């Protein structure tokens, strides 16, 4: 698909003339069923020298296309949307993590939402190598790659956080990835950089989501509990960069307050569900008795 033509159409969707915008939108709807369309969108989104507005328009179109049609043919706004070809699906799976890495924060979040949709329908059967890619990103030396890996890891965890039948996926992640994730968070806590705080926040959010319905054996180990608990306390005690008396901690959007909030929630969840011997459910009391004693 001609990338230059596609970029021109998205530029036209921002034109002040309604007729120009409508014509461009009609042409995009005609093109979306063509093989290579989603791949070209991701290429446009990842191109460094394109205007931010053009890339934002492309990312919104990409998100809507994935949400409507990844599962199959869908209807929206009274019209039929063509199914996404197998070739476009494969290209998207191969390219989306790189596109997240290359994008601005706003577009990262849109593409990450799309990643969650894809994982819901394609993991693990059609995308078994996804966890390999996540491990590579989380262990990378590039901070943006690590951040991308944490975003991707959290989307997979959210896929299984409330299930009890596929706990092995979360158990494996807790064992293989969480030691590195804890190190990432612990090192980032000492920084006031916004990206560092985002990584702490994502790490703690991943931890809390993993322990929502069960406590993986790897996270019950004394060394693991001490490491994560120490990181939680360090983040809770970290001085805020602004007057805490003027900030509502429950609604604050700043990364440092999000990180504090998820640290507190994680400790509360550990104590309330797994760490208090008197509150353990009868069905799991025997299994968690040793951990509750350790936590206490």
């Amino acid at each position: 698909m001609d990338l230059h033509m596609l970029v021109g159409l998205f530029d036209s969707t921002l034109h002040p003339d309604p007729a120009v915008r409508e014509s461009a939108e009609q042409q995009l709807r005609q093109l979306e069923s063509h093989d290579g369309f989603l791949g070209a969108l991701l290429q446009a989104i990842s191109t460094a020298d394109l205007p931010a507005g053009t890339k934002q328009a492309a990312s919104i179109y990409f998100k809507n296309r994935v949400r409507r049609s990844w599962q199959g043919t869908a209807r929206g706004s009274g019209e039929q949307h063509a199914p996404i070809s197998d070739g476009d699906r494969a290209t998207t799976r191969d390219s989306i993590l790189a596109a997240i890495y290359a994008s601005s924060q706003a577009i990262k979040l849109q593409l990450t939402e799309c990643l969650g949709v894809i994982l819901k329908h394609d993991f693990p059967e059609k995308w078994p190598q996804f966890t390999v890619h996540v491990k590579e990103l989380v262990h990378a030396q590039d901070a943006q790659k690590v951040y991308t890996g944490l975003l991707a890891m959290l989307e997979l965890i959210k896929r299984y956080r409330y299930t009890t039948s596929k706990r092995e996926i979360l158990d494996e992640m807790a064992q293989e990835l969480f030691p590195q994730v804890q190190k990432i968070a612990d090192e980032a806590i000492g920084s006031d950089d916004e990206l560092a705080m985002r990584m702490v926040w994502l790490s703690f959010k991943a931890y809390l989501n993993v322990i929502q319905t069960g406590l993986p054996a790897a996270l019950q180990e004394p060394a693991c509990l001490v490491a994560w608990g120490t990181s939680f306390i360090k983040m809770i005690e970290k001085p805020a960069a602004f007057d805490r008396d003027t900030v509502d901690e429950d609604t604050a959007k700043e990364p440092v307050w999000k990180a504090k909030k998820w640290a507190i929630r994680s400790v509360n969840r550990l104590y309330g569900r797994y760490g208090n011997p008197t509150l353990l459910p009868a069905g799991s009391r025997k299994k968690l008795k040793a951990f509750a004693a350790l936590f206490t």
Side-chain angles (χ1 to χ4, degrees), residues 183-224:
K183 290 179 182 177
I184 291 167
D186 202 62
E187 292 175 2
I189 289 171
S191 172
D192 291 324
D193 178 71
E194 181 177 340
L195 179 60
M197 286 297 99
R198 289 186 185 279
M199 289 194 286
V200 177
W201 158 42
L202 287 173
S203 300
F204 290 171
K205 191 172 183 178
Y207 184 96
L208 180 59
N209 276 277
V210 160
I211 67 171
Q212 276 299 314
T213 57
L215 186 62
L219 300 185
Q220 298 182 39
E221 294 295 325
C224 182

Side-chain angles (χ1 to χ4, degrees), residues 146-147 150 153-154 181-208 228 231-236 238 255-263 266:
V146 174
Y147 181 53
L150 292 174
M153 179 188 70
L154 180 58
V181 173
Q182 187 275 325
K183 290 179 182 177
I184 291 167
D186 202 62
E187 292 175 2
I189 289 171
S191 172
D192 291 324
D193 178 71
E194 181 177 340
L195 179 60
M197 286 297 99
R198 289 186 185 279
M199 289 194 286
V200 177
W201 158 42
L202 287 173
S203 300
F204 290 171
K205 191 172 183 178
Y207 184 96
L208 180 59
W228 278 99
S231 294
F232 293 146
I233 293 170
K234 285 169 64 175
M235 187 64 236
I236 293 168
K238 181 181 174 69
V256 64
W257 284 101
K258 284 187 175 182
K260 284 177 175 289
K261 181 169 67 175
W262 286 100
S266 295

Side-chain angles (χ1 to χ4, degrees), residues 121-153:
H121 298 294
D122 288 13
F123 182 87
E125 290 80 7
K126 298 178 181 178
W127 203 0
Q129 68 273 35
F130 175 76
T131 53
V132 176
H133 299 324
V134 171
K135 291 175 187 176
E136 292 172 351
L137 289 168
V138 168
H139 283 85
Q141 298 301 310
D142 182 322
Q144 282 291 347
K145 285 187 176 180
V146 174
Y147 181 53
T148 300
L150 292 174
L151 286 169
M153 179 188 70

Side-chain angles (χ1 to χ4, degrees), residues 40-91:
L41 283 185
L42 286 177
Q43 187 178 351
I45 293 167
S46 305
T47 302
D49 57 354
L50 286 182
T54 302
K55 291 196 282 189
Q56 182 73 21
S59 69
I60 292 172
Y61 201 102
F62 178 87
K63 181 179 72 172
N64 290 336
R65 177 73 171 136
V66 169
R67 290 176 64 183
R68 287 173 182 155
S69 302
W70 195 269
Q71 187 176 9
T73 303
R75 289 185 178 274
S77 303
E79 56 184 322
Q80 190 92 356
H81 291 272
I84 299 171
S85 70
D86 290 341
D88 247 7
R89 291 171 185 272
T91 300

